Amino acid sequence: MSESDADLLHETIRQFRWAANYVVLNARNDDGYVETRKGKLNSQTYDNVRSETELHSNLVQAARSRAADALKSVVAKWKRGKNASLPYFSSPFLEYDQRSATFHDDHASLSTVDGRITADYVLPDDERKTPHSEYLFSDDYETTGATLHYRDATDEFYLHVRTKADVDAPEPRENGTVLGVDLGVENIAVTSTGVFWSASEFDHWHREYEKRRASLQQCGSRDAHENMQAVGLKETGRFEQLLHRVSNELVEEADENGCSHIAFEELTDIRDRMPGAKRLHAWAFRRLFSYVEYKAEERGISVQQVNPANTSRRCSSCGFTHEDNRPSQDTFECLKCSYANHADYNAAKNIGYRLLGKQTAGEGGAPVGVRLNTGMMNANGVKAVPTLVRAGVHGECHGL
């Protein structure tokens, strides 16, 4: 990329960031109400942003959408009684879609404030099995958009490309069967069918990369600092591959059990709710949800989030809720009916029930049951034959 092209990207990023922050500043009215609807925000800000910037209309709309999503997250925290400030965009980034960018096998054509520039990809060896070879170079996937980031430490631009399967999505399933999914620190995910995905590999590599960064940080040189950035990229790539594998297996589990819905707990404030969770865990949960969401869509399976309140304290067998039902991180023991099982598995069932109750409260197209397994579950994945438990029926056998 030439120096002039880099300058154009920097200026486009500056104006894009200004546009997103302008939308945020104009989202609150005199009564204190914060607007989050994209259509309304567009009518309030579009003309002024176009007149004050050189951004193409598609980039203006992308900035508005990014601001609206951030505003929705803040409002969701307020509704949960959390303190949060209105978002402010300070990091250098740009959002591209298929109208503002054209993606090729070895380069992308990107809109700027003064026409388009061509940015060549710098990629790993395409003979290796990487997300690039599996998704970017595959004829089975189409590129839907990308986020451009600039990192000052390395003076480099990074294009995070989004893809989806290039197939016609099937009609949504209507059998109304829910697969509940609990997310956690010790187990990345546990389903209501008793399948566990341990976080041990995730945690192992996080510790290894932390050691490498600490060693480089002690050097203090510019080369060491740049190597730290490279270590961060390798870490992200490894974690993304791991999360892709988990998401593939999770969607396969839902498909094999004939589920039409997958239920996750809401991700807002998940780090605050989860003891021992780090920023990395919250990032991993969001990434896993996004992977499952688009992969499940390819099979006609709907993915939704539900209110997680008391899902870890509620007995999935009798419904009794008490904080002492969970005497340890792994153990659930109901004080009322004596039901005992792995705590994450119990929570996964409750998450499935929560979506079931949410849907059956309305009319039409409602899920009819949660896909469960009878028996005692543990992190080694021991489980019995799957069963479908319908609304209001909380039967479970207490032995294998």
Side-chain angles (χ1 to χ4, degrees):
M1 182 187 301
S2 68
E3 184 176 345
S4 60
D5 286 347
D7 289 341
L8 279 175
L9 285 179
H10 282 302
E11 179 59 21
T12 307
I13 288 173
R14 186 190 69 80
Q15 295 191 26
F16 183 90
R17 195 168 58 193
W18 181 91
N21 286 323
Y22 180 84
V23 173
V24 171
L25 289 173
N26 286 273
R28 188 193 291 271
N29 62 23
D30 295 337
D31 297 329
Y33 173 79
V34 174
E35 182 62 67
T36 60
R37 292 171 295 178
K38 293 181 181 180
K40 188 67 175 178
L41 289 171
N42 188 67
S43 63
Q44 291 177 186
T45 62
Y46 180 82
D47 290 340
N48 286 343
V49 172
R50 286 303 306 273
S51 65
E52 294 293 330
T53 69
E54 302 166 287
L55 295 174
H56 188 277
S57 61
N58 294 325
L59 290 178
V60 173
Q61 293 174 12
R64 174 219 62 206
S65 295
R66 188 63 179 264
D69 291 341
L71 287 165
K72 288 178 181 177
S73 178
V74 168
V75 170
K77 291 182 179 180
W78 290 348
K79 289 180 178 178
R80 297 174 59 86
K82 301 289 185 179
N83 292 323
S85 302
L86 288 178
Y88 178 77
F89 299 95
S90 58
S91 62
F93 77 100
L94 265 173
E95 291 287 356
Y96 284 106
D97 60 18
Q98 291 175 312
R99 297 169 298 174
S100 53
T102 305
F103 304 96
H104 303 276
D105 288 342
D106 57 354
H107 71 280
S109 172
L110 306 174
S111 291
T112 71
V113 293
D114 186 18
R116 290 197 172 212
I117 62 102
T118 297
D120 294 329
Y121 298 148
V122 178
L123 298 171
D125 183 355
D126 59 10
E127 296 299 320
R128 293 168 50 199
K129 186 174 177 58
T130 65
H132 306 91
S133 61
E134 185 174 357
Y135 299 103
L136 186 61
F137 301 140
S138 173
D139 293 335
D140 295 332
Y141 289 84
E142 65 173 333
T143 303
T144 59
T147 303
L148 180 73
H149 296 274
Y150 172 74
R151 296 187 180 178
D152 184 64
T154 58
D155 190 26
E156 292 175 326
F157 292 96
Y158 295 87
L159 192 66
H160 295 178
V161 179
R162 298 183 293 275
T163 65
K164 72 174 183 179
D166 188 14
V167 296
D168 293 331
E171 290 295 320
R173 300 182 184 183
E174 298 181 355
N175 63 29
T177 305
V178 179
L179 181 75
V181 181
D182 179 63
L183 303 173
V185 175
E186 292 189 5
N187 298 297
I188 294 177
V190 178
T191 67
S192 58
T193 53
V195 181
F196 288 69
W197 286 271
S198 172
S200 59
E201 181 181 354
F202 186 91
D203 293 337
H204 165 76
W205 285 110
H206 178 55
R207 289 192 297 269
E208 288 297 313
Y209 285 114
E210 284 286 281
K211 291 177 184 177
R212 296 180 193 180
R213 274 192 291 268
S215 177
L216 290 168
Q217 195 169 22
Q218 289 180 350
C219 297
S221 66
R222 180 173 177 81
D223 286 343
H225 188 70
E226 291 179 354
N227 285 334
M228 285 175 61
Q229 297 293 325
V231 167
L233 289 174
K234 290 180 180 179
E235 180 182 29
T236 299
R238 181 180 291 276
F239 289 159
E240 286 180 337
Q241 284 185 276
L242 186 153
L243 294 170
H244 269 298
R245 186 176 75 241
V246 173
S247 65
N248 287 337
E249 294 174 359
L250 202 156
V251 172
E252 189 66 31
E253 178 71 10
D255 194 19
E256 289 179 354
N257 284 283
C259 296
S260 59
H261 294 70
I262 300 176
F264 282 80
E265 59 188 297
E266 289 178 357
L267 301 183
T268 304
D269 294 334
I270 192 169
R271 185 182 172 195
D272 297 334
R273 301 194 309 267
M274 191 175 294
K278 302 177 181 179
R279 184 185 300 273
L280 178 65
H281 291 100
W283 168 85
F285 297 149
R286 290 193 297 270
R287 191 60 60 93
L288 177 63
F289 176 83
S290 67
Y291 290 164
V292 170
E293 188 175 35
Y294 80 77
K295 293 176 182 180
E297 181 184 0
E298 297 166 7
R299 306 195 189 197
I301 301 173
S302 171
V303 182
Q304 298 184 42
Q305 296 182 21
V306 300
N307 188 336
N310 292 319
T311 51
S312 64
R313 301 174 178 180
R314 179 185 184 274
C315 177
S316 60
S317 181
C318 73
F320 178 70
T321 302
H322 196 282
E323 61 181 8
D324 292 337
N325 279 350
R326 190 166 182 172
S328 70
Q329 182 68 24
D330 297 335
T331 306
F332 183 91
E333 297 177 359
C334 181
L335 297 176
K336 183 177 181 180
C337 73
S338 299
Y339 169 74
N341 221 317
H342 194 286
D344 293 344
Y345 172 60
N346 179 75
K349 292 195 292 181
N350 283 327
I351 289 169
Y353 287 137
R354 185 64 53 83
L355 179 59
L356 184 68
K358 174 182 176 182
Q359 295 289 344
T360 53
E363 296 180 1
V368 298
V370 178
R371 183 64 70 181
L372 309 176
N373 283 313
T374 57
M376 297 293 291
M377 307 297 155
N378 60 43
N380 293 323
V382 178
K383 61 181 184 179
V385 179
T387 60
L388 177 64
V389 176
R390 298 182 181 274
V393 181
H394 300 280
E396 176 144 357
C397 171
H398 290 273
L400 288 176

